[in-house]
Amino acid sequence: MNRTARILRIVLLLLLAAGTARAQEHAAYEGLPVSEVVVHGLETTDRDVVLRRMDLREGIPFERATARRDERAITALGFFWSVRVEPEGSAPPDSVRVHVRLKERFA
């Protein structure tokens, strides 16, 4: 195996490990009600444009599949270079805060 192939293999393994860790973290919040949706990274796009594309809202149980769908729906707007929907523990402890991290294309 040449050096380039070894480097690519290592990079792929690291990406796979990162994705697995992210999935495990999200699994800890599965089914907990969303207490808040916080949007980060907006400079020119209105927050409501993003929120209208999302199924995750306050009071709705957090589901990884819904978070992935929301990422795809926001990406489909075409306004952002990157979109990540991430859960975080919240106060009260039996709920989850959802962070939407965006990088705008046209900012």
Side-chain angles (χ1 to χ4, degrees), residues 25-87:
E25 176 188 334
H26 289 198
Y29 300 109
E30 195 80 19
L32 292 178
V34 173
S35 63
E36 179 182 16
V37 177
V38 183
V39 182
H40 305 274
L42 292 177
E43 294 181 34
T44 59
T45 306
D46 188 64
R47 180 178 185 267
D48 289 334
V49 170
V50 173
L51 294 178
R52 278 195 300 266
R53 292 292 179 136
M54 295 184 64
D55 290 329
L56 285 174
R57 292 182 164 71
E58 288 184 28
I60 301 294
F62 178 82
E63 293 180 7
R64 289 179 295 174
T66 305
R68 299 293 77 78
R69 275 195 315 272
D70 287 349
E71 285 178 348
R72 288 191 300 272
I74 296 166
T75 300
L77 289 168
F79 301 157
F80 305 101
W81 286 112
S82 70
V83 176
R84 293 191 64 182
V85 176
E86 303 173 324

